[in-house]
Every structure is written in C-alpha cells, then in structure tokens.
Amino acid sequence: MVWLLGLLCSLAFCLQSAHGTEIRANGIFSGRQYNSIIGVTNGGPWGSWTWIDMCPEGSYAKGYSVKVEKHIGAGDDTSLNGIRLYCTSQKGVTYTIESSVGEFGDWSPVTWCPAGYLKSFQLKVEEDQGALDDTAANNIKFRCTAGAIIEGPGGDFGQYGGWSDDCAIGGICGMETKMEPYGGAFVDDTSINDVRFYCC
C-alpha cells in the first residue's frame, strides 16, 4: 500500500506547502477534475483514510453540517462523527456528499457561506489523553471564498490548529475522512480523527 501511495503521489505532483499540508495537483477522481487537496497538520492519530466523495461536475461546497455526539460525562465520548458538505451549482441545485460517518450523535443544521464557496478549514482536535477518554476531532470551521468564517456546533474538547491552505481557484468540491471504526463497549472510541478536502 505504501508503494502505491508513493506512486500516486509522484504521478499527481505532490508538494509540501508552507502550512505543512499536502497538495496534489491536477488529478481526476470519479470523473471530476481537481487541482489540489488541502489538509491540516493537527489531525488525530487513530483510524484510517476512508472513501472519497465528490460534488457533481459544476458544483462546489457552499455549506456543511456536522454529526456530533454530545458530551456524556462518565463514559466514552466520540464527539465529531460526521461531516456533510452541501454542494450547489449555478442553477441552484443542491447535492450532499459525505465520507465515512460514525455511529453516534445527531446532525446539526446546515451552516452556509453567506456568499461564495468553502475554500479552507481549521480542525478542532483533542490531543491524545493517554489512559483517559480520547475524542480526537471535535469540530471544524471553514473560510468562504468571499471572506466569511463559518462554524457549526461541535464538541467541547480540544483546540483549533492552523488553517489549511486555500483552494487556489474555485472552491472545495470533495472530501475524505480519517475514521476510527467503532470498537465496541470496552474500547475507547474516537470516530473522526482527520479530514482532507479536494479543490476544483
């Protein structure tokens, strides 16, 4: 698997940005051309990267909602369990996309860019708690192409890291989450640990 990722990275022209986020230029996934992938450096350590979901051709992510498990006190908190993007086209048609989603929590109302599309993000992550309860990713906020910063309701733990790079042109058009699958009643679960977005 490592050699395959290296080959894909070479073919897609991988770089390291000033923010330490990976950029892969000029790729195609599911028939959609993208020009970069943006990420952050503070994602959690658990889980694996899951599947990629892309907005349909001609649409970009204008809003999002999060699936969050509320703090339950004595017990196993997982906090951020899902991120859903709302892709809109110039014709006003809205589509939803999401990568792997955890089992716990409820979806928030949609938080929209007042104008433009999503172009960069920050991730709120709780660091490794050792023998205590871990939650990993707790929330996410986005910057819109018109300048607004939007944030939906998230979990109580952790801190925001630095901003990802901006989508150089266009806006966010796809996503992939790093997810720790549910391990059962006697395992410290964290659900979403990290996310990266595709720019078109």
Side-chain angles (χ1 to χ4, degrees):
M1 180 60 74
V2 173
W3 69 267
L4 178 59
L5 290 175
L7 176 61
L8 291 173
C9 193
S10 297
L11 292 174
F13 187 50
C14 285
L15 302 173
Q16 288 294 317
S17 78
H19 301 287
T21 57
E22 185 179 62
I23 299 174
R24 298 181 202 158
N26 301 321
I28 297 176
F29 183 80
S30 192
R32 179 100 194 240
Q33 180 83 32
Y34 64 88
N35 54 59
S36 65
I37 301 173
I38 57 174
V40 292
T41 59
N42 67 318
W46 300 287
S48 302
W49 290 102
T50 60
W51 63 85
I52 303 163
D53 202 4
M54 301 289 286
C55 298
E57 188 68 38
S59 66
Y60 300 90
K62 187 178 179 67
Y64 77 104
S65 60
V66 289
K67 185 181 182 185
V68 178
E69 181 186 35
K70 294 179 180 178
H71 178 38
I72 58 175
D76 184 14
D77 290 300
T78 59
S79 202
L80 187 61
N81 274 249
I83 302 168
R84 180 179 291 158
L85 299 184
Y86 290 76
C87 310
T88 62
S89 68
Q90 291 184 348
K91 295 181 179 180
V93 179
T94 300
Y95 311 85
T96 60
I97 64 169
E98 57 192 47
S99 187
S100 183
V101 173
E103 298 189 18
F104 306 104
D106 299 298
W107 287 101
S108 71
V110 185
T111 302
W112 297 96
C113 283
Y117 303 104
L118 308 179
K119 73 169 185 177
S120 62
F121 74 102
Q122 283 181 300
L123 194 61
K124 184 181 180 185
V125 178
E126 181 185 42
E127 63 183 15
D128 187 348
Q129 298 296 294
L132 301 178
D133 183 25
D134 293 296
T135 61
N138 272 246
N139 203 3
I140 189 168
K141 67 172 69 169
F142 289 92
R143 181 180 286 120
C144 306
T145 53
I149 294 174
I150 59 174
E151 180 182 13
D156 298 330
F157 307 106
Q159 296 181 349
Y160 278 104
W163 283 97
S164 72
D165 285 334
D166 291 345
C167 289
I169 56 175
I172 290 173
C173 62
M175 68 178 297
E176 181 181 17
T177 53
K178 183 182 179 188
M179 171 72 70
E180 182 184 42
Y182 177 55
F186 301 104
V187 174
D188 182 4
D189 296 296
T190 61
S191 198
I192 287 183
N193 274 248
D194 204 351
V195 61
R196 51 195 178 202
F197 295 99
Y198 289 69
C199 299
C200 299

